[in-house]
Amino acid sequence: MRSTPYLALSASALLGCVEDLNLPKPRIHDNPVLLWVSETPDFPTCPGGRLDYWDGWTDVHTDPQYQNECGTCTCGPAACALPDRMLVHEAPLCAGEEGIKIDLTSAADPPGHCVELSSPIPGDAFAAVTLKPPTMASKCDASEQHAPPPLSGTYARACPWIGKYTGKFDGSVCIAPDDDGSCPLGFSARFEFQEKIRDARTCTPCECGAPVGGSCVADVLLFSGASCSHMLHPGNGIGTREQLCYETLEDFPLTGVRVVFAQDEPGTCSPTTPVSLVDGTIESGETRTFCCSSADLMEVIDANDDN
């Protein structure tokens, strides 16, 4: 959006009498610039790919209704997890703490698929198994981390003047004001911007309370045949606070395991902080004044210079 006003004289009228006009030109010692102004921070690329530009803004603010808030805090579920291991005991009644550990971490991806043992456990070494319970996550994660509310204002980019106006850059030619602060004839469009340092605002994190409710119940299915055939024990209904011991009554090897959910109802959490708040400020630098000419007038200057 162009906010610099055009002069009333049209380019065609000026071209007819350009030699009779005392057309102003940027004073070289003022480091003239091409000034882009917009209500959106979509800064353009400077002509010639110049990187020594200056960015500024003015009247930067947020909607008063939301200036101190980033958003409402919500919490995700406390997920259920299938048992990640079991122990195979050679002695009955799961006696002693020692046993052959069977890793079941892969049983959850996807749930219910056959976990075949790389080395089947023979029947004479398989008297009982300790079935570990499923678990529920001890906490809930905040479902969203918010960003600060968007800014509104007027934005500017001052690019080095490359000696002539370029129509590909939607801006005006500007110089510094006179010593008394006034703008000279032909550069009477006056703008003031503060240097744009950075938006240093962040949002306070959302936090969640302890999980409540939910139900995690697993079935651990044991098999003695290839590809999880010939079920030995269904292991049904193992809750989160249970650790079951199952004794084998037949002399069969253990060759595979399936683990599935009988109930998968995650717990829920309430946010301990209902709202994420804005923390930090917008950082601005010194104010800079620009005295600007219309693009139409500078096009006439360039055309005259070419002749």
Side-chain angles (χ1 to χ4, degrees):
M1 170 181 175
R2 290 284 299 277
S3 58
T4 304
Y6 284 93
L7 297 183
L9 294 176
S10 67
S12 59
L14 286 170
L15 283 173
C17 55
V18 65
E19 295 180 357
D20 299 327
L21 292 177
N22 182 19
L23 296 176
K25 293 186 179 182
R27 299 187 296 254
I28 300 303
H29 64 276
D30 281 327
N31 296 319
V33 297
L34 289 168
L35 184 68
W36 167 90
V37 179
S38 176
E39 292 182 357
T40 60
D42 301 323
F43 294 96
T45 301
C46 289
R50 296 290 294 265
L51 299 178
D52 49 340
Y53 51 76
W54 182 93
D55 286 345
W57 53 19
T58 187
D59 191 29
V60 182
H61 61 278
T62 58
D63 187 325
Q65 182 179 356
Y66 304 107
Q67 62 180 347
N68 295 321
E69 296 184 2
C70 294
T72 302
C73 291
T74 57
C75 297
C80 294
L82 290 167
D84 61 358
R85 60 192 169 91
M86 57 180 281
L87 294 176
V88 177
H89 303 273
E90 186 176 357
L93 301 176
C94 302
E97 295 182 359
E98 297 297 327
I100 302 173
K101 182 187 293 186
I102 305 299
D103 186 359
L104 299 177
T105 53
S106 65
D109 186 22
H113 79 283
C114 178
V115 178
E116 296 190 71
L117 305 187
S118 58
S119 299
I121 300 174
D124 58 1
F126 173 34
V129 293
T130 298
L131 303 177
K132 298 294 182 179
T135 59
M136 178 183 291
S138 60
K139 64 177 184 178
C140 298
D141 294 326
S143 56
E144 180 181 4
Q145 291 300 326
H146 296 283
L151 296 173
S152 298
T154 304
Y155 301 84
R157 170 163 287 181
C159 300
W161 189 50
I162 58 176
K164 64 179 182 178
Y165 175 77
T166 171
K168 295 181 179 180
F169 185 85
D170 190 17
S172 299
V173 180
C174 305
I175 60 175
D178 290 333
D179 293 340
D180 61 0
S182 63
C183 288
L185 179 65
F187 292 90
S188 58
R190 181 187 178 92
F191 296 94
E192 289 187 356
F193 292 97
Q194 289 181 295
E195 183 181 7
K196 176 183 177 291
I197 303 298
R198 68 184 180 117
D199 182 357
R201 299 173 304 154
T202 59
C203 294
T204 57
C206 293
E207 298 181 355
C208 302
V212 296
S215 177
C216 306
V217 180
D219 291 341
V220 179
L221 315 177
L222 309 180
F223 298 88
S224 65
S227 301
C228 290
S229 59
H230 188 187
M231 185 184 299
L232 295 175
H233 173 62
N236 291 329
I238 306 172
T240 53
R241 297 185 179 181
E242 300 173 306
Q243 179 168 292
L244 300 183
C245 176
Y246 164 69
E247 290 195 74
T248 59
L249 302 178
E250 300 176 342
D251 188 15
F252 288 106
L254 178 64
T255 62
V257 184
R258 293 184 191 271
V259 184
V260 296
F261 277 119
Q263 291 184 15
D264 182 7
E265 300 174 6
T268 59
C269 299
S270 298
T272 56
T273 50
V275 176
S276 173
L277 300 177
V278 175
D279 186 24
T281 59
I282 301 166
E283 297 181 6
S284 301
E286 295 183 358
T287 299
R288 182 172 175 181
T289 302
F290 298 89
C291 296
C292 301
S293 173
S294 75
D296 284 349
L297 184 56
M298 293 313 302
E299 285 185 274
V300 172
I301 294 173
D302 296 335
N304 188 47
D305 288 344
D306 292 340
N307 295 330

